[in-house]
Amino acid sequence: MQNSERLKGVDVFVAVAQSGSFVRAAGRLNLTGSAVGKAIARLEARLGTRLFERTTRRLCLTDAGTRFLDACTRVLGELEEAELALHAEGALIAGRLRIDLPATYGRVMVLPVLAAFLQRYPRIKPVVSFTDRYVDVIGEGIDVTVRIGSPEAWSPLLGHRFVGQDQKVFCAAPGYLEAHGVPASLEDLDRHAAIMYGKADGTVSAWLLRHGSALVERRGADERIVAGDAEAQAGLVLAGLGVAQMSTWLVGRQLRDGSLVQILPRHATAGLPIHVVWPKAKEDVPRVRELVETLCTALEWDSLNAGWNAPPLSRGTGEIDA
């Protein structure tokens, strides 16, 4: 018998036993007297025993009915306590949360997770900032942050959990490659228009390259365009203005639908590690703990589906290696 079948008619039985009348139980449950009588008959048939002794003047429990009522009352009481406990826990997840996210990754990957979290806990009042600079989690009063890249050593005051590592791939629009040719080597790539990422301090991020199993090295490129926003950088590549090295979490969809093409896949390389970070002093605060668990679970799952830690795209799915 399915567990759900065992619950059928239990609430009707308890109502009848407690009220001592089919009619009063029907009024309490907003049912007809006939519906109550049929529910009890089905329950007795399923249990194979009579639960009530019926006379024209009174209704009373049998010995089996008394034992069954005790069991039902205990189980329903435990269910009610569990429900109240969950409501109480949900009520505790409330209040102000200061959240800081990387600008582009935060908008693309974290914000949808955060929106669902806030719908689940409407009593939370978030203050969300988006920045790519280093943030002093303790000094700035941040409750939870997501960071791309990590210090050489984490502060003992911070809790942190690794959730993934993106992959950096070179890509361009098909129209650009038709007009300018497909680079067959890194030397060829140096002759193409480079769309680079510009940092807030005015410097330009270098390309990260991998040679077989050798260590990752940094390599500069002559930039045609410098964009201070990764989404803008991706938009310029999509417009056919040049070649860029992009994170797979940002351009994975375009690589799959063919609006961008991966080039020189043997030079794809792991990007920076991504962590969820929080002050250890706040990790037992329910709203902080719940958001940390939610982000870690969601972003770890996305790391498997957005291309992090994955090998280069297979041939025929947006990849050219001349």
PDB file of all heavy atoms in Angstrom, residues 228-245:
ATOM      1  N   GLY A 228      35.524  47.896 -20.582  1.00  0.00           N
ATOM      2  CA  GLY A 228      35.586  47.741 -19.129  1.00  0.00           C
ATOM      3  C   GLY A 228      34.456  46.925 -18.558  1.00  0.00           C
ATOM      4  O   GLY A 228      34.211  46.971 -17.345  1.00  0.00           O
ATOM      5  N   ASP A 229      33.757  46.178 -19.396  1.00  0.00           N
ATOM      6  CA  ASP A 229      32.639  45.346 -18.950  1.00  0.00           C
ATOM      7  C   ASP A 229      32.627  44.092 -19.808  1.00  0.00           C
ATOM      8  O   ASP A 229      32.680  44.175 -21.050  1.00  0.00           O
ATOM      9  CB  ASP A 229      31.318  46.107 -19.081  1.00  0.00           C
ATOM     10  CG  ASP A 229      30.120  45.283 -18.668  1.00  0.00           C
ATOM     11  OD1 ASP A 229      29.774  45.278 -17.472  1.00  0.00           O
ATOM     12  OD2 ASP A 229      29.519  44.630 -19.562  1.00  0.00           O
ATOM     13  N   ALA A 230      32.558  42.929 -19.180  1.00  0.00           N
ATOM     14  CA  ALA A 230      32.653  41.672 -19.927  1.00  0.00           C
ATOM     15  C   ALA A 230      31.463  41.464 -20.851  1.00  0.00           C
ATOM     16  O   ALA A 230      31.617  40.906 -21.950  1.00  0.00           O
ATOM     17  CB  ALA A 230      32.779  40.498 -18.961  1.00  0.00           C
ATOM     18  N   GLU A 231      30.263  41.875 -20.431  1.00  0.00           N
ATOM     19  CA  GLU A 231      29.103  41.742 -21.318  1.00  0.00           C
ATOM     20  C   GLU A 231      29.265  42.634 -22.552  1.00  0.00           C
ATOM     21  O   GLU A 231      28.919  42.232 -23.672  1.00  0.00           O
ATOM     22  CB  GLU A 231      27.828  42.091 -20.566  1.00  0.00           C
ATOM     23  CG  GLU A 231      27.385  41.030 -19.577  1.00  0.00           C
ATOM     24  CD  GLU A 231      26.156  41.435 -18.804  1.00  0.00           C
ATOM     25  OE1 GLU A 231      26.255  42.383 -17.998  1.00  0.00           O
ATOM     26  OE2 GLU A 231      25.095  40.825 -19.006  1.00  0.00           O
ATOM     27  N   ALA A 232      29.808  43.841 -22.363  1.00  0.00           N
ATOM     28  CA  ALA A 232      30.067  44.722 -23.500  1.00  0.00           C
ATOM     29  C   ALA A 232      31.135  44.120 -24.404  1.00  0.00           C
ATOM     30  O   ALA A 232      31.035  44.180 -25.640  1.00  0.00           O
ATOM     31  CB  ALA A 232      30.498  46.091 -22.999  1.00  0.00           C
ATOM     32  N   GLN A 233      32.151  43.520 -23.800  1.00  0.00           N
ATOM     33  CA  GLN A 233      33.198  42.858 -24.567  1.00  0.00           C
ATOM     34  C   GLN A 233      32.603  41.755 -25.432  1.00  0.00           C
ATOM     35  O   GLN A 233      32.901  41.646 -26.631  1.00  0.00           O
ATOM     36  CB  GLN A 233      34.246  42.290 -23.615  1.00  0.00           C
ATOM     37  CG  GLN A 233      35.464  41.697 -24.293  1.00  0.00           C
ATOM     38  CD  GLN A 233      36.407  41.030 -23.293  1.00  0.00           C
ATOM     39  OE1 GLN A 233      36.022  40.752 -22.158  1.00  0.00           O
ATOM     40  NE2 GLN A 233      37.627  40.754 -23.717  1.00  0.00           N
ATOM     41  N   ALA A 234      31.732  40.937 -24.841  1.00  0.00           N
ATOM     42  CA  ALA A 234      31.071  39.868 -25.599  1.00  0.00           C
ATOM     43  C   ALA A 234      30.212  40.446 -26.720  1.00  0.00           C
ATOM     44  O   ALA A 234      30.160  39.896 -27.833  1.00  0.00           O
ATOM     45  CB  ALA A 234      30.219  39.008 -24.666  1.00  0.00           C
ATOM     46  N   GLY A 235      29.529  41.554 -26.445  1.00  0.00           N
ATOM     47  CA  GLY A 235      28.701  42.185 -27.475  1.00  0.00           C
ATOM     48  C   GLY A 235      29.520  42.670 -28.655  1.00  0.00           C
ATOM     49  O   GLY A 235      29.094  42.563 -29.819  1.00  0.00           O
ATOM     50  N   LEU A 236      30.719  43.202 -28.389  1.00  0.00           N
ATOM     51  CA  LEU A 236      31.590  43.665 -29.471  1.00  0.00           C
ATOM     52  C   LEU A 236      32.092  42.503 -30.305  1.00  0.00           C
ATOM     53  O   LEU A 236      32.241  42.610 -31.531  1.00  0.00           O
ATOM     54  CB  LEU A 236      32.759  44.446 -28.874  1.00  0.00           C
ATOM     55  CG  LEU A 236      32.378  45.782 -28.195  1.00  0.00           C
ATOM     56  CD1 LEU A 236      33.546  46.322 -27.393  1.00  0.00           C
ATOM     57  CD2 LEU A 236      31.935  46.799 -29.246  1.00  0.00           C
ATOM     58  N   VAL A 237      32.372  41.379 -29.656  1.00  0.00           N
ATOM     59  CA  VAL A 237      32.791  40.184 -30.409  1.00  0.00           C
ATOM     60  C   VAL A 237      31.636  39.690 -31.269  1.00  0.00           C
ATOM     61  O   VAL A 237      31.821  39.344 -32.441  1.00  0.00           O
ATOM     62  CB  VAL A 237      33.273  39.082 -29.445  1.00  0.00           C
ATOM     63  CG1 VAL A 237      33.697  37.834 -30.228  1.00  0.00           C
ATOM     64  CG2 VAL A 237      34.440  39.571 -28.606  1.00  0.00           C
ATOM     65  N   LEU A 238      30.438  39.643 -30.690  1.00  0.00           N
ATOM     66  CA  LEU A 238      29.268  39.215 -31.462  1.00  0.00           C
ATOM     67  C   LEU A 238      29.016  40.117 -32.671  1.00  0.00           C
ATOM     68  O   LEU A 238      28.518  39.666 -33.705  1.00  0.00           O
ATOM     69  CB  LEU A 238      28.027  39.205 -30.554  1.00  0.00           C
ATOM     70  CG  LEU A 238      27.885  38.005 -29.614  1.00  0.00           C
ATOM     71  CD1 LEU A 238      26.865  38.303 -28.531  1.00  0.00           C
ATOM     72  CD2 LEU A 238      27.486  36.765 -30.407  1.00  0.00           C
ATOM     73  N   ALA A 239      29.383  41.400 -32.538  1.00  0.00           N
ATOM     74  CA  ALA A 239      29.185  42.347 -33.639  1.00  0.00           C
ATOM     75  C   ALA A 239      30.220  42.173 -34.744  1.00  0.00           C
ATOM     76  O   ALA A 239      30.155  42.856 -35.780  1.00  0.00           O
ATOM     77  CB  ALA A 239      29.239  43.776 -33.106  1.00  0.00           C
ATOM     78  N   GLY A 240      31.189  41.266 -34.548  1.00  0.00           N
ATOM     79  CA  GLY A 240      32.157  40.979 -35.595  1.00  0.00           C
ATOM     80  C   GLY A 240      33.329  41.935 -35.640  1.00  0.00           C
ATOM     81  O   GLY A 240      33.955  42.102 -36.695  1.00  0.00           O
ATOM     82  N   LEU A 241      33.662  42.549 -34.495  1.00  0.00           N
ATOM     83  CA  LEU A 241      34.722  43.552 -34.484  1.00  0.00           C
ATOM     84  C   LEU A 241      36.094  42.989 -34.124  1.00  0.00           C
ATOM     85  O   LEU A 241      37.084  43.722 -34.150  1.00  0.00           O
ATOM     86  CB  LEU A 241      34.352  44.680 -33.512  1.00  0.00           C
ATOM     87  CG  LEU A 241      33.121  45.493 -33.913  1.00  0.00           C
ATOM     88  CD1 LEU A 241      32.773  46.503 -32.836  1.00  0.00           C
ATOM     89  CD2 LEU A 241      33.357  46.195 -35.251  1.00  0.00           C
ATOM     90  N   GLY A 242      36.166  41.728 -33.750  1.00  0.00           N
ATOM     91  CA  GLY A 242      37.467  41.178 -33.415  1.00  0.00           C
ATOM     92  C   GLY A 242      37.386  39.888 -32.646  1.00  0.00           C
ATOM     93  O   GLY A 242      36.323  39.249 -32.564  1.00  0.00           O
ATOM     94  N   VAL A 243      38.526  39.515 -32.073  1.00  0.00           N
ATOM     95  CA  VAL A 243      38.678  38.267 -31.326  1.00  0.00           C
ATOM     96  C   VAL A 243      38.846  38.604 -29.858  1.00  0.00           C
ATOM     97  O   VAL A 243      39.474  39.601 -29.498  1.00  0.00           O
ATOM     98  CB  VAL A 243      39.926  37.497 -31.823  1.00  0.00           C
ATOM     99  CG1 VAL A 243      40.168  36.252 -30.981  1.00  0.00           C
ATOM    100  CG2 VAL A 243      39.761  37.121 -33.287  1.00  0.00           C
ATOM    101  N   ALA A 244      38.298  37.758 -28.975  1.00  0.00           N
ATOM    102  CA  ALA A 244      38.478  37.962 -27.536  1.00  0.00           C
ATOM    103  C   ALA A 244      38.628  36.622 -26.851  1.00  0.00           C
ATOM    104  O   ALA A 244      38.252  35.578 -27.398  1.00  0.00           O
ATOM    105  CB  ALA A 244      37.289  38.728 -26.938  1.00  0.00           C
ATOM    106  N   GLN A 245      39.192  36.671 -25.668  1.00  0.00           N
ATOM    107  CA  GLN A 245      39.241  35.494 -24.802  1.00  0.00           C
ATOM    108  C   GLN A 245      38.155  35.682 -23.748  1.00  0.00           C
ATOM    109  O   GLN A 245      38.183  36.632 -22.974  1.00  0.00           O
ATOM    110  CB  GLN A 245      40.612  35.359 -24.138  1.00  0.00           C
ATOM    111  CG  GLN A 245      40.771  34.067 -23.358  1.00  0.00           C
ATOM    112  CD  GLN A 245      42.129  33.992 -22.671  1.00  0.00           C
ATOM    113  OE1 GLN A 245      42.557  34.935 -22.015  1.00  0.00           O
ATOM    114  NE2 GLN A 245      42.808  32.865 -22.818  1.00  0.00           N
TER     115      GLN A 245
END
